[in-house]
């Protein structure tokens, strides 16, 4: 399986759909960034992803990581690839120039993350975890902490982790037991065990900076008593050089279903020296900086899985022959027709395409709000508060919906290949295994659904949702008289109306039976995801129709740009006609309430 970066579609989304150049010009920090420069970065990343990372993907899956005497060794080629990744400046792309970063926008960095992740997701997790550590220290660290750690993290000489999970405390961080005892010198002794720590130990960098949640003595119970600490693998001397090994060690690595080249570690903290970051007992609030970055990153994994499934599926379907098409012979020079002619196969391939390209639009759309927040400035009447609210609403949708549809796409990839999809040499089954974790870590789909419905939508009394539906309403009003777009606008308006009505009904239900809200949450999230992608598919179709109108009669070749825009419209039509009707099932399930879910006594489940 050879990954090929979808540069044409990436540039379409960035430059034509979202007008990235105008976006950057309105933000002083990025004013000098133009499309040509953006494209050069994308091309460099594409070359690296295709020629270096993609060939290592199956190598990493076969070899996995080796755990020897407390040390973790990454697969063949990973150290050299990581060194090249750092030399290309990808670790420092969106970091502050004050600490060795390039100061480029997050939206560009996310596009590059898509390519590295699709080419080799296990590799991408090593620098990916560092991005969250960098963001946490930038936002909440002292000046001394920034001076000590950020330069090395930005260059990639050091890497970072997030240490939350414990054996008895997964997503419920209020019950963590790791302790932080004050030392006389102002540091803390961190004692406890963390599990499922991605990139917790490896041989790619000379130091690893752990961001750790722990409890101070006499801290309040629950989430209000959690503090956040920086715990380096090697202590750092006053002159910035590395000192002695800290009392943090890797006890084991997990044997996993997928992403085997990414070390998932059990870390033991045995009185390790740590440094408080942020206020006491406010660690969870600080950690959300890290978690939001990680959740967007995981959403990219869903997009990457759909893209990889699509690339594999379309190549195979255009080559494999089986039976004759139901409407007659298509490939007269062959003993059977290629399977791309069969509607059932086309359905699967188009589904992966619709989710990949729709997911790309959602991630890049979301990333422009990240740009505003990081630049500390709004655009065209959109202030930073509004951008933050949009990010709050869309992050759980992007994380959960795109990873679930990514997993669906990965399974379609296997199915298109038939029996060959079950064989490792084709790469499709690895995509399934690698992608399955995306629906679990950084908060399962079910937890994201509760976050979306209870905290973000109902918790804001619907305001966060209205922010987004207003954008959709404005789009529909703008194209109200466009005959080409009525096929999208009419159903989109109906979906928004239903969305708001469902939300109001659930707000009422929450006052009488909270289980109705809990039972509806996952379906509500799916509904939200389908509508969000519908909005972005309608916008893509609008751009495509405008572009097609500029072609003369002699320029209408399906092999060039005309064919690209025509395919955009056809994919949008497929999404609205064949995928969007799924929302009707989710509406019915939401309206069904929780009675049948909660009726059975716990002891009856065994019968």
């Amino acid at each position: 399986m050879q990954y090929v970066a979808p540069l044409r579609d990436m540039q379409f989304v960035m430059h034509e759909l979202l007008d990235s150049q105008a976006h950057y010009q309105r933000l002083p920090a990025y004013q000098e960034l133009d499309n040509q420069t953006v494209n050069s970065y994308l091309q460099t990343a594409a070359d690296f992803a295709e020629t270096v990372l993609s060939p290592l993907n199956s190598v990493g899956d076969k070899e996995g990581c080796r755990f020897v005497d407390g040390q973790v060794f990454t697969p063949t080629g990973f150290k050299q690839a990581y060194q090249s990744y750092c030399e290309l400046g990808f670790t420092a792309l969106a970091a502050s120039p004050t600490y060795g970063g390039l100061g480029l926008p997050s939206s560009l960095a996310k596009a590059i993350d898509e390519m590295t992740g699709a080419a080799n997701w296990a590799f991408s997790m090593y620098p990916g975890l560092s991005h969250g550590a960098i963001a946490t220290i930038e936002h909440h660290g002292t000046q001394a902490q920034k001076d000590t750690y950020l330069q090395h993290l930005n260059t990639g000489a050091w890497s970072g982790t997030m240490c939350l999970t414990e054996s008895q405390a997964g997503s419920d961080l209020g019950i963590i037991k790791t302790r932080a005892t004050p030392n006389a010198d102002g540091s803390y002794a961190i004692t406890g065990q963390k599990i499922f720590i991605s990139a917790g130990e490896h041989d790619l960098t000379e130091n690893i900076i752990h961001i750790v949640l722990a409890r101070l003595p006499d801290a309040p119970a629950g989430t209000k008593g959690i503090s956040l600490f920086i715990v380096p693998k090697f202590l750092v001397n006053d002159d910035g050089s590395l000192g002695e090994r800290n009392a943090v060690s890797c006890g084991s690595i997990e044997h996993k279903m997928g992403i085997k080249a990414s070390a998932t570690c059990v870390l033991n903290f045995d009185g390790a020296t740590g440094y408080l970051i942020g206020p006491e007992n406010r660690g969870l609030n600080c950690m959300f900086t890290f978690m939001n970055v990680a959740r967007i990153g995981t959403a990219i994994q869903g997009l990457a899985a759909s893209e990889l499934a699509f690339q594999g599926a379309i190549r195979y379907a255009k080559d494999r022959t089986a039976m004759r098409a139901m409407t007659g012979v298509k490939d007269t020079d062959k003993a059977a027709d290629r399977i791309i002619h069969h509607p059932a196969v086309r359905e699967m391939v188009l589904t992966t395409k619709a989710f990949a390209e729709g997911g790309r639009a959602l991630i890049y759309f979301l990333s422009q709000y990240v740009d505003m927040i990081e630049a500390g400035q709004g655009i065209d009447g959109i202030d930073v508060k509004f951008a933050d609210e949009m990010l709050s609403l869309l992050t759980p949708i992007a994380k959960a919906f795109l990873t679930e549809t990514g997993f669906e796409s990965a399974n379609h990839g296997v199915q298109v290949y038939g029996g060959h999809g079950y064989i490792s040499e084709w790469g499709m089954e690895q995509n399934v295994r690698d992608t399955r974790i995306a629906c679990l870590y950084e908060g399962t789909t079910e937890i994201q659904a509760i976050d979306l419905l209870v905290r973000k939508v109902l918790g804001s009394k619907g305001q966060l949702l209205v922010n987004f539906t207003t954008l959709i309403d404005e789009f529909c009003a703008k194209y109200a008289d466009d005959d080409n777009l009525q096929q999208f606008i009419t159903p989109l308006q109906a979906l928004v109306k239903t969305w708001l009505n469902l939300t109001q009904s659930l707000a009422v239900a929450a006052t009488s039976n909270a289980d109705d809200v809990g039972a509806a949450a996952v379906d509500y999230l799916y509904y939200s995801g389908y509508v969000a992608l519908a909005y972005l598919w309608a916008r893509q179709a609008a751009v495509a129709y405008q572009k097609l109108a500029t072609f003369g009669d002699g320029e209408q070749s399906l092999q060039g740009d005309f064919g690209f825009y025509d395919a955009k419209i056809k994919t949008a039509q497929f999404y609205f006609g064949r995928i969007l009707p799924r929302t009707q099932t989710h509406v019915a399930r939401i309206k069904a309430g929780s009675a049948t879910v909660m009726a059975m006594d716990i002891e009856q489940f065994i019968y």
Side-chain angles (χ1 to χ4, degrees), residues 1-6 49-50 54 114-115 118-119 307-308 311 315:
M1 178 62 196
Q2 174 60 47
Y3 169 75
V4 177
E50 292 171 3
S54 183
E114 178 199 334
M115 289 185 277
E307 177 63 36
L308 204 61
Q311 289 193 18
R315 287 178 198 152

Side-chain angles (χ1 to χ4, degrees), residues 196-215:
F196 299 161
I197 308 305
S198 298
E201 173 65 25
H202 55 80
D203 58 354
L204 302 182
T205 61
E206 60 185 10
N207 202 6
I208 302 174
I209 310 304
H210 304 292
I211 306 295
V212 185
L213 286 180
R215 290 188 178 281

Side-chain angles (χ1 to χ4, degrees), residues 191-359:
T191 303
Q193 184 183 80
K194 300 289 184 176
I195 66 171
F196 299 161
I197 308 305
S198 298
E201 173 65 25
H202 55 80
D203 58 354
L204 302 182
T205 61
E206 60 185 10
N207 202 6
I208 302 174
I209 310 304
H210 304 292
I211 306 295
V212 185
L213 286 180
R215 290 188 178 281
L216 292 167
D218 303 321
T223 57
K224 294 182 179 180
I226 301 174
S227 297
L228 191 62
F229 299 87
I230 298 173
V231 183
K233 175 181 174 180
F234 287 94
L235 297 175
V236 182
N237 297 321
D238 291 340
D239 62 0
S241 63
L242 294 184
E244 64 182 17
R245 177 72 184 259
N246 206 352
V248 53
S249 62
C250 181
S252 64
I253 59 174
E254 303 295 347
H255 304 283
K256 301 174 297 183
M257 176 180 179
I259 52 171
K260 295 183 178 182
S262 170
T264 303
C265 304
V266 174
L267 291 183
N268 297 313
F269 297 86
D270 300 309
T273 300
Y275 307 94
L276 182 70
I277 179 170
E280 292 185 2
N281 302 324
R282 299 285 291 173
L284 197 57
N285 302 75
C286 297
M287 182 62 86
F288 268 112
T289 301
F290 203 148
M291 291 168 67
N292 282 333
V293 171
R295 285 171 178 171
I296 295 172
T298 306
I300 294 174
Q301 184 177 8
L303 157 59
S306 290
E307 177 63 36
L308 204 61
F310 169 66
Q311 289 193 18
I314 188 59
R315 287 178 198 152
Y316 190 79
K318 288 170 63 178
D319 181 67
R320 177 72 169 182
T321 58
M323 303 177 289
R324 288 297 184 187
M326 296 179 71
T327 53
V329 175
K330 304 298 181 185
D331 297 319
T332 57
D333 60 331
K334 302 179 186 298
D337 289 326
R338 291 172 296 163
I339 61 175
I340 192 62
H341 294 296
H342 301 309
V345 174
R346 279 192 171 230
E347 175 89 18
M348 291 185 287
V349 177
L350 279 167
T351 298
T352 63
K353 180 178 174 66
F355 284 143
E357 295 176 11

Side-chain angles (χ1 to χ4, degrees), residues 94-245:
S96 169
T98 304
Y99 300 101
L102 299 181
L104 293 170
S106 180
S107 54
L108 175 56
K110 292 293 180 285
I112 291 175
D113 288 345
E114 178 199 334
M115 289 185 277
T116 57
N120 192 325
W121 186 261
F123 173 90
S124 73
M125 291 189 68
Y126 290 100
L129 269 296
S130 296
H131 295 159
I134 291 167
T136 302
I137 295 172
E138 277 186 338
H139 285 82
H140 305 290
T142 65
Q143 188 59 53
Q145 290 170 342
K146 294 176 184 179
D147 292 340
T148 299
Y149 300 107
L150 287 181
Q151 183 84 19
H152 296 287
L153 285 168
N154 287 335
T155 62
W158 299 354
S159 60
T161 72
M162 55 189 296
C163 298
L164 290 73
T165 306
E166 300 179 8
S167 58
Q168 82 292 343
S171 297
D172 186 1
L173 296 174
I175 57 176
I176 66 168
K177 296 180 179 179
T178 300
R179 306 186 310 278
T181 305
N183 293 323
D185 63 357
S187 66
Y188 295 81
I190 311 298
T191 303
Q193 184 183 80
K194 300 289 184 176
I195 66 171
F196 299 161
I197 308 305
S198 298
E201 173 65 25
H202 55 80
D203 58 354
L204 302 182
T205 61
E206 60 185 10
N207 202 6
I208 302 174
I209 310 304
H210 304 292
I211 306 295
V212 185
L213 286 180
R215 290 188 178 281
L216 292 167
D218 303 321
T223 57
K224 294 182 179 180
I226 301 174
S227 297
L228 191 62
F229 299 87
I230 298 173
V231 183
K233 175 181 174 180
F234 287 94
L235 297 175
V236 182
N237 297 321
D238 291 340
D239 62 0
S241 63
L242 294 184
E244 64 182 17
R245 177 72 184 259

Side-chain angles (χ1 to χ4, degrees), residues 346-413:
R346 279 192 171 230
E347 175 89 18
M348 291 185 287
V349 177
L350 279 167
T351 298
T352 63
K353 180 178 174 66
F355 284 143
E357 295 176 11
R360 179 171 297 115
L362 179 58
I363 291 292
Y364 293 12
F365 173 76
L366 185 66
S367 297
Q368 288 197 338
Y369 288 109
V370 178
D371 288 344
M372 297 180 210
I373 293 170
E374 292 182 345
Q377 180 182 341
I379 294 175
D380 293 341
I382 300 174
D383 58 19
V384 174
K385 178 177 180 294
F386 181 88
D388 186 60
E389 289 176 347
M390 287 293 285
L391 199 60
S392 294
L393 177 79
L394 293 174
T395 296
I397 295 174
K399 191 279 175 186
F401 184 75
L402 294 189
T403 56
E404 291 287 354
T405 54
F407 184 58
E408 177 185 339
S409 296
N411 279 294
H412 286 316

